[in-house]
Amino acid sequence: MAWIWGDWMPQPGAGRSSAGAFFDTDFSTIDSVLATALLFGLQGNNDCRVAIIAMSRPNLAVAGFADMVERFYHGPAGNFAQVPPIGMNTDGSPGETSPAFVAPFQRKKPDGTPVYRNQVRTVIDTGDPNTLFRNYLEAQIDQNAFFVLGGPATNLAAALAFPGMRDLIAVKVKYLVVAGGAFPAGPAEARVKADIPAAKRVFAEWPTPIVASGFEVGAALEFPGASIDKEFAAAEPDNPVADAYRAYQAMPYDAPSWAMAAALYAARPKESYFQFSDPGRIGVDEGGRTSFTASEKGNHRYLIVDPAQKQKIIQAYIQLASAKPAPGRRFRAGAAGQPESDSAAD
């Protein structure tokens, strides 16, 4: 079943800029790192503009890595121009710190200087997720932004409680794509279990349509680890995403792609990569299990893997995630010919 949620993509001559992408995750798996690279690859193709990256756990080491990756994709100017800080939730447990987020900083150039610089030393080097969401959403054209949730729903649930945020989301955001759950029914999935109250709130109260990329989607679409030493190395020898992938676990290995699938659909909804469920409502029980109830009036759906599109999706993963940094302009023409800024004050 081919399905597109509304005709929101820019049309020729419409003057609308690429959609603003808001990516929230906990960076607990290499999938979230790959999804970050994918989003910047999509930005290089003018499929979206990466507005904000936020993380739902207070881990400075991980925030430092995410900040470095963002600066990497902004090119040399990323160390001097205004780059939005990584939004970091300061409550809760920092969780584990995978070698993937530490090993890249240990690499040295022939002269002994670091290949990558860590510019996040304290909490002050990060941003408050709610403040960043609000400020950067205000800079978007109405209905020209999307959220991708790649981890627990902690930050998004907090955003719903932030004064004025729910109405702002309804005006600015076209939809939310969630990497989490198991559909149409299955065991409790890790991202949902990590913060069950937050997941329940987001699925019940989020004011825009929601599309879910369940466990079964990412498991069926594994990112080929062989591309790290092939396509990634050919495009850019010093790539922090490739270095993180090598350090995450012993090579070679292929990685499930829950967040990558969510990001790919979010930025390219008209590509027919996936099939879809009928409309309905997604619920979360007290144990973290997701359920789907079909309803013509529901504004939730979940992605279904189309076997005929599998190789096309994998090739898109490789091509986009391994692309050389191609930063988008910081100002794009808006619908009325006015500049739309990505550099809203924090």
Side-chain angles (χ1 to χ4, degrees), residues 131-333:
T131 302
L132 291 169
F133 290 161
R134 180 196 64 201
N135 290 355
Y136 279 77
L137 278 174
E138 288 177 345
Q140 309 300 312
I141 296 172
D142 292 356
Q143 295 294 286
N144 198 38
F146 61 78
F147 270 73
V148 175
L149 177 61
T154 307
N155 285 342
L156 271 57
L160 291 173
F162 198 68
M165 187 74 81
R166 188 192 305 263
D167 292 339
L168 183 62
I169 291 169
V171 170
K172 298 294 185 179
V173 177
K174 189 63 178 179
Y175 48 64
L176 161 66
V177 186
V178 177
F183 302 97
E189 189 270 331
R191 291 165 176 78
V192 175
K193 286 178 64 178
D195 193 338
I196 295 172
K200 289 169 70 72
R201 181 167 195 171
V202 167
F203 280 116
E205 301 179 18
W206 189 263
T208 78
I210 296 177
V211 181
S213 171
F215 178 88
E216 68 284 352
V217 172
L221 299 169
E222 291 193 327
F223 181 84
S227 69
I228 296 297
D229 292 328
K230 187 178 179 182
E231 284 84 3
F232 275 76
E236 180 66 48
D238 294 329
N239 185 315
V241 174
D243 288 335
Y245 193 98
R246 296 185 186 100
Y248 185 69
Q249 66 184 58
M251 295 284 283
Y253 70 96
D254 298 337
S257 65
W258 306 286
M260 292 188 83
L264 184 64
Y265 167 74
R268 290 182 171 178
K270 291 190 174 183
E271 285 292 330
S272 299
Y273 289 120
F274 301 96
Q275 296 178 339
F276 304 87
S277 71
D278 291 329
R281 296 290 300 180
I282 295 172
V284 180
D285 71 13
E286 297 301 323
R289 291 182 296 274
T290 50
S291 61
F292 180 81
T293 303
S295 169
E296 292 183 358
K297 296 182 179 180
N299 65 343
H300 298 171
R301 297 195 189 227
Y302 59 86
L303 299 179
I304 299 171
V305 175
D306 181 354
Q309 297 296 317
K310 181 175 180 177
Q311 288 307 311
K312 180 181 178 181
I313 293 171
I314 298 301
Q315 288 304 311
Y317 284 174
I318 296 170
Q319 178 186 8
L320 292 165
S322 67
K324 284 187 175 183
R329 291 175 296 170
R330 300 306 291 169
F331 293 89
R332 300 291 185 94

Side-chain angles (χ1 to χ4, degrees), residues 97-122:
T97 302
S98 166
F101 306 117
V102 178
F105 290 116
Q106 298 171 349
R107 287 194 56 208
K108 305 292 184 183
K109 299 177 182 178
D111 63 2
T113 58
V115 173
Y116 311 111
R117 294 175 55 202
N118 188 344
Q119 300 193 43
V120 175
R121 301 297 182 185
T122 66

